[in-house]
Amino acid sequence: MIRNFLIFSLLFLAVSAQAVQPDTSAYNIQRLKINKLLAERSLKFGQYDESLHARTGIFGLQTKKDIRNSNEILRQITLNDNDIFKEIKILMDYKDLEVEKTKTEVSTSGSRVQNYMLSIKKLQDQQEKLKQDVAAAEKSKNFSMLIIVVLILTLIGLLIYLFKMKKV
């Protein structure tokens, strides 16, 4: 009985591991997207830093073009940050979905285990009742055999007595 329960548990865990695999891969793909966006952000910050130090004007001063270029890079960084926030939100939604799925699986597994335990208890109670019924039947059988033996011995004794009476 315990062996069957262990086999069922291992089978359930194997199926659960396969069911979680697609969600985990989507989660990893999302993480890779975010890491790529963060790498782009770092690259753009390097470009922004370079553009701040760029001085193409007369006497080494910044021109309007230099300032506009710096502002454009800063705007791209801001847009990239917005994309990062969106992707992080999606990543958090994946994580929340995985947590909910895990909770549901735990609840379902718990109720299944509870139902199996109730079934096992019910079967054990039935087995105990059947053992008691068999013991009662054995006892009744033994009592019946005793009565039959006593009746046979009484009949034999009566027959012997009658034969002795006829001979006398």
Side-chain angles (χ1 to χ4, degrees), residues 31-74:
R31 281 185 42 213
L32 291 174
K33 272 186 186 178
I34 291 172
N35 288 338
K36 179 183 164 205
L37 288 171
L38 289 172
E40 288 175 10
R41 185 177 193 273
S42 295
L43 182 66
K44 289 189 189 290
F45 258 111
Q47 291 173 352
Y48 178 69
D49 191 42
E50 286 177 15
S51 71
L52 287 178
H53 296 301
R55 300 182 185 272
T56 58
I58 300 175
F59 305 115
L61 298 174
Q62 278 189 328
T63 62
K64 284 184 179 181
K65 183 179 178 186
D66 293 336
I67 293 172
R68 283 185 186 140
N69 187 27
S70 295
N71 287 342
E72 179 59 28
I73 293 173
L74 195 57

Side-chain angles (χ1 to χ4, degrees), residues 75-86:
R75 188 182 72 76
Q76 289 174 356
I77 290 172
T78 305
L79 292 175
N80 193 9
D81 286 348
N82 289 340
D83 290 341
I84 290 172
F85 288 134
K86 287 176 189 173

Side-chain angles (χ1 to χ4, degrees), residues 6-22 105:
L6 289 175
I7 290 171
F8 174 78
S9 297
L10 290 174
L11 182 64
F12 178 76
L13 288 174
V15 170
S16 295
Q18 289 178 354
V20 171
Q21 195 67 20
E105 287 176 2

Side-chain angles (χ1 to χ4, degrees), residues 17-160:
Q18 289 178 354
V20 171
Q21 195 67 20
D23 291 340
T24 304
S25 64
Y27 180 79
N28 286 333
I29 290 170
Q30 194 64 26
R31 281 185 42 213
L32 291 174
K33 272 186 186 178
I34 291 172
N35 288 338
K36 179 183 164 205
L37 288 171
L38 289 172
E40 288 175 10
R41 185 177 193 273
S42 295
L43 182 66
K44 289 189 189 290
F45 258 111
Q47 291 173 352
Y48 178 69
D49 191 42
E50 286 177 15
S51 71
L52 287 178
H53 296 301
R55 300 182 185 272
T56 58
I58 300 175
F59 305 115
L61 298 174
Q62 278 189 328
T63 62
K64 284 184 179 181
K65 183 179 178 186
D66 293 336
I67 293 172
R68 283 185 186 140
N69 187 27
S70 295
N71 287 342
E72 179 59 28
I73 293 173
L74 195 57
R75 188 182 72 76
Q76 289 174 356
I77 290 172
T78 305
L79 292 175
N80 193 9
D81 286 348
N82 289 340
D83 290 341
I84 290 172
F85 288 134
K86 287 176 189 173
E87 297 299 325
I88 287 175
K89 172 78 169 101
I90 292 171
L91 187 68
M92 294 304 289
D93 290 344
Y94 276 132
K95 198 63 171 172
D96 291 343
L97 183 65
E98 284 183 7
V99 167
E100 285 300 317
K101 184 176 180 182
T102 303
K103 285 180 182 178
T104 304
E105 287 176 2
V106 166
S107 174
T108 304
S109 298
S111 65
R112 282 184 185 166
V113 168
Q114 189 72 17
N115 289 338
Y116 288 132
M117 288 172 57
L118 289 173
S119 297
I120 289 169
K121 173 133 178 54
K122 182 179 175 185
L123 290 172
Q124 286 173 340
D125 291 344
Q126 286 178 351
Q127 182 181 15
E128 191 63 35
K129 185 179 182 296
L130 289 174
K131 282 181 182 179
Q132 290 173 355
D133 291 346
V134 167
E138 278 292 320
K139 196 174 185 182
S140 175
K141 180 182 171 187
N142 290 340
F143 183 71
S144 299
M145 286 298 272
L146 180 65
I147 290 176
I148 291 172
V149 169
V150 168
L151 287 175
I152 290 175
L153 289 176
T154 306
L155 184 62
I156 291 174
L158 184 63
L159 288 174
I160 290 174

